[in-house]
Amino acid sequence: MLGTLGLWALLPKAVRAPPSRRTCVFFEAPGVRGSTKTLGKLLDAGPGPPRVIRCLYSHCCFGIWNLTQDQAQVEMQGCRDSDEPGCESPRCDPSPRAQPSPSSTLFTCSCGTDFCNANYSHLPPLGSPGTPGPQGPQAIAGESIWMALVLLGLFLLLLLLGSIILALLQRKACRVRGGPAPEPEPDAGRDWSAELPELPELCFSQVIREGGHAVVWAGQLQGELVAIKTFPLRAMAQFRAERALYELPGLQHDHIVRFITASRGGPGPQHCGPLLVLELHPKGSLCHYLTQHTSDWGRSLRMALSLAQGLAFLHEERWQDGQYKPGIAHRDLSSQNVLIREDGSCAIGDLGLALVLPGLTPPPTWVPTRPQGPAAIMEAGTQRYMAPELLDKTLDLQDWGMALRRADVYSLALLLWEILSRCLDLWPDSRPPPFQLAYEAELGSTPTTCELWTLAVAERRRPYIPPTWCCFATDPGVLREILEDCWDADPEARLTAECVQQRLAALAHPQEAHLFPEGCSHSCPPLGAEDCLSTPPHHPSPLICHFSIQQGPCFR
C-alpha cells in the first residue's frame, strides 16, 4: 500500500550532516518500501520494537501513522535526511498527507526533540482503540501510554475551561463599555466561498510539495492529471494575488504552467479552503529530473531554450488579439519551480511571488496589483537563486520593473548552469558528476544568507564552468559567455531574457546564428570567441485516486 502511494517521496535522500545529533524512535512496518536506516545509526534498545536511531544528517525526527476505520497503526518512525519546515516543533503534530482509500488516511509529523516521534500529540479520532501503544514513549521515557492520554485529556479540559472563561470576560467587558462584540476577521468567515465553486469530481492523491503558504497535491479532475495548490484561510491574500495573475487573459504559453480553475475544498472535511487547479507534469521538477537523468546536447538545449522562452514571455508587455498582458517578474525562479513536460521542455510554475511590472502601456483596471513599497519589491524567493542586488539590498528602486527583470535573468543563468552540468556531450572524457544545485559545491546544501552574500556579492564568484564546455560548440566560449552575460555582478550589463532566448536559438540552429533581430545590438551584443580559461572553485472526504508522481531529493 505505502509503495503504491510513493511514500519515498515524503522522505528525500540525505545530503549533508549537521553538527548535532538527534535521537529518535525507529520503526518500519512489514512491507514498507524505502527504508530510512541509512539516515542514522541504530542503537540497541531491547529485543523488540521500537528501536532507537541516532540521526546522522539532521536533528529532525518523523513519524507516519495510518488511520483506518478509526484505528491508528504506526507505519514508519525514524530520522529525516535534512531539516525542513515543521522540524522546529518540539512535539509530533500529525497532518494528513495521502488517502489510499476512502476509509484510510496517512498522517505524518516532523519534530525536533529527542524521541518526539514516539507518539503523536493528537490524531482524530482522539483516543481510539488502535492508537500506537507498542511504539509509545514508555519504551523510551518509561511512562505508560495511559498516563499520557490522561495528561492530554486534562490539558484539553483546562484549555476548554480557559476559553469559556475568557469569552465570558470579554462579553462582560463589552457590555460595560457599551461597545459591540468583536467581529471575526474578513477572511475567517464564509464570504470568500461565495466566489469559488466546488468541484465534486476533484480528487486528491498525494502531497508533492509543502510551502510556507500552501500545500501542493497531485490529483485528478475529470480524468486529467492536475496539481492542486491548497491554501489555508490565513493565506487568503496570497491565494487571491496568485489567482489574479493566473487569470490574466494573455497569460497562455507552452512554457508557463497552465491554469485550469480556482475552487474550494480540501483532502478532508476538516481541511476546506481556497485552491488553485493547475496543469500537472508527472516527470516532476527540473531539480528532480536532473538528479535522476543526464541528457545529450539536443535535450539539454531544448530544456534551456524553452526555459528562456517562458521567462521572456513573462517579462514581455504585449497586446495580442485584443488582450493585454503586462510584464511580470517571477521573483522565485528555481529548479524546484520549473517542471518538465512530456516532450522534455520546461514549464515555469509557482507565481506565488510574481509581480506585475509597470509598463509603457496604461494597463486596464483589472490588472492585479500588489503592495509596491520598497519592502514588497525587495521580497524574493529561494535565497540560493537571489541576485546579488537582492542579497545586499541595492536593487534599483527608481526603475524597479527593469531591475526585477534583471534579477530574474541572474536566476535563469544558475538554472542554465544546472542543466548544462548534466549534459553528456559536455563531459567527453567521463560521465557528468552527480547533480548539484547552484553553489552547492562551494557552500553545501543549506547555505546561509551571509555565506551567499560573501561568495556572490563580496567575492563575486559564480558556479564553476569546466574547460570542456568552452570547446564543445562551434563557437569557442559561447556557453561561458552566455552564462557570464546573465549572472554579471552589474545588473545593467546582463542580457534580457529575450536575448538569452535568441542566443540559445542560434545554438540550436547554427546556420542562422548571424540573423539577430533589429534593435538587439544594444541589449544583446553579438557573441565573440574568447579564451577557454576558467577558474576552478574553492571548496569549503474527497474523492481518492491512485497514481505515482515522480518527486526527488530536491527539497534542500
Side-chain angles (χ1 to χ4, degrees):
M1 177 192 69
L2 294 176
T4 304
L5 286 173
L7 181 59
W8 54 270
L10 308 178
L11 305 172
K13 286 185 178 179
V15 291
R16 189 171 178 85
S20 59
R21 294 289 180 266
R22 175 73 61 221
T23 305
C24 308
V25 171
F26 178 82
F27 176 78
E28 292 180 347
V32 171
R33 295 172 56 187
S35 176
T36 61
K37 291 181 181 179
T38 58
L39 301 184
K41 179 179 180 182
L42 287 174
L43 307 177
D44 294 330
R51 301 186 67 183
V52 178
I53 187 170
R54 182 160 295 163
C55 303
L56 294 177
Y57 306 102
S58 75
H59 53 275
C60 185
C61 304
F62 79 90
I64 299 177
W65 288 268
N66 186 16
L67 184 65
T68 305
Q69 296 179 350
D70 296 338
Q71 290 188 343
Q73 179 182 357
V74 66
E75 296 289 351
M76 295 187 75
Q77 293 165 309
C79 297
R80 282 208 177 275
D81 74 307
S82 61
D83 298 328
E84 59 182 46
C87 289
E88 67 276 4
S89 174
R91 63 180 185 177
C92 173
D93 293 323
S95 58
R97 295 299 296 269
Q99 291 185 283
S101 68
S103 60
S104 178
T105 303
L106 284 180
F107 288 80
T108 182
C109 78
S110 298
C111 51
T113 57
D114 288 342
F115 308 123
C116 59
N117 66 331
N119 206 348
Y120 46 76
S121 58
H122 65 277
L123 188 67
L126 186 62
S128 60
T131 51
Q135 288 74 38
Q138 71 278 3
I140 305 302
E143 297 181 1
S144 69
I145 186 64
W146 303 112
M147 181 60 70
L149 291 176
V150 169
L151 292 176
L152 182 59
L154 289 175
F155 172 76
L156 293 176
L157 180 60
L158 290 175
L159 184 63
L160 178 61
L161 290 175
S163 300
I164 294 174
I165 293 173
L166 181 60
L168 291 175
L169 291 175
Q170 288 178 339
R171 183 175 299 180
K172 181 178 179 181
C174 182
R175 285 200 303 266
V176 171
R177 293 193 303 266
E183 296 182 359
E185 296 180 2
D187 289 335
R190 299 200 174 193
D191 295 340
W192 63 270
S193 63
E195 62 188 68
L196 296 173
E198 282 193 278
L199 299 174
E201 64 275 23
L202 183 67
C203 70
F204 295 73
S205 175
Q206 67 186 79
V207 173
I208 55 178
R209 191 176 181 191
E210 291 187 69
H213 297 299
V215 176
V216 181
W217 289 70
Q220 288 186 1
L221 178 63
Q222 297 178 344
E224 179 183 2
L225 294 180
V226 294
I228 310 165
K229 191 170 185 177
T230 62
F231 295 79
L233 292 183
R234 67 177 183 274
M236 181 62 68
Q238 288 80 6
F239 162 76
R240 286 174 173 159
E242 188 168 356
R243 176 192 181 185
L245 278 166
Y246 275 119
E247 289 182 340
L248 287 173
L251 197 68
Q252 291 83 38
H253 193 270
D254 286 343
H255 304 302
I256 304 296
V257 170
R258 179 170 58 92
F259 170 75
I260 298 175
T261 187
S263 179
R264 56 189 168 96
Q270 70 277 22
H271 299 280
C272 184
L275 55 86
L276 300 173
V277 182
L278 306 164
E279 181 181 27
L280 177 69
H281 299 286
K283 287 190 175 182
S285 67
L286 175 64
C287 175
H288 167 70
Y289 184 85
L290 295 176
T291 302
Q292 302 294 325
H293 304 281
T294 56
S295 302
D296 58 21
W297 172 245
R299 287 182 293 172
S300 298
L301 191 56
R302 174 190 288 267
M303 286 189 285
L305 178 58
S306 61
L307 183 57
Q309 289 171 335
L311 185 61
F313 172 79
L314 273 183
H315 285 181
E316 182 183 15
E317 178 190 17
R318 62 162 63 182
W319 281 93
Q320 183 173 352
D321 300 329
Q323 294 182 334
Y324 172 76
K325 186 200 81 68
I328 298 171
H330 190 279
R331 299 205 299 168
D332 193 13
L333 202 60
S334 70
S335 52
Q336 188 61 37
N337 290 336
V338 174
L339 302 179
I340 300 297
R341 293 159 47 97
E342 287 295 336
D343 63 358
S345 63
C346 293
I348 298 174
D350 196 345
L351 300 184
L353 286 177
L355 188 65
V356 171
L357 303 175
L360 300 177
T361 304
T365 57
W366 44 260
V367 171
T369 59
R370 293 176 187 255
Q372 296 177 356
I377 294 174
M378 286 289 185
E379 183 183 6
T382 310
Q383 64 179 9
R384 180 187 298 275
Y385 299 91
M386 287 171 58
E389 60 270 24
L390 289 172
L391 289 171
D392 67 355
K393 308 298 183 184
T394 59
L395 188 83
D396 181 12
L397 295 177
Q398 297 298 318
D399 188 8
W400 58 269
M402 183 58 68
L404 291 180
R405 288 183 174 95
R406 291 165 177 160
D408 276 351
V409 170
Y410 173 89
S411 304
L412 172 65
L414 299 184
L415 298 189
L416 295 179
W417 178 88
E418 291 180 1
I419 292 172
L420 295 173
S421 71
R422 296 289 283 164
C423 178
L424 289 166
D425 295 321
L426 295 181
W427 303 86
D429 299 326
S430 62
R431 288 187 59 83
F435 174 70
Q436 287 186 310
L437 300 170
Y439 297 126
E440 187 171 0
E442 295 84 359
L443 300 178
S445 60
T446 55
T448 64
T449 304
C450 181
E451 291 173 335
L452 282 167
W453 181 90
T454 301
L455 183 137
V457 180
E459 300 178 5
R460 295 195 174 194
R461 288 163 55 194
R462 299 294 184 264
Y464 173 57
I465 301 176
T468 54
W469 294 15
C470 299
C471 304
F472 170 73
T474 55
D475 190 355
V478 62
L479 295 180
R480 178 175 57 82
E481 188 171 354
I482 291 176
L483 294 177
E484 291 180 348
D485 287 348
C486 290
W487 64 36
D488 197 291
D490 180 7
E492 295 183 0
R494 294 176 198 154
L495 302 178
T496 64
E498 181 182 7
C499 287
V500 178
Q501 171 188 334
Q502 292 164 5
R503 289 194 175 188
L504 293 173
L507 286 178
H509 307 285
Q511 68 278 9
E512 303 173 8
H514 63 285
L515 301 178
F516 285 102
E518 294 184 10
C520 194
S521 57
H522 296 291
S523 57
C524 184
L527 295 172
E530 300 182 10
D531 297 332
C532 292
L533 300 179
S534 186
T535 304
H538 302 275
H539 291 285
S541 126
L543 294 177
I544 307 301
C545 43
H546 306 285
F547 54 90
S548 179
I549 300 301
Q550 298 183 28
Q551 292 293 314
C554 298
F555 299 95
R556 308 185 191 176

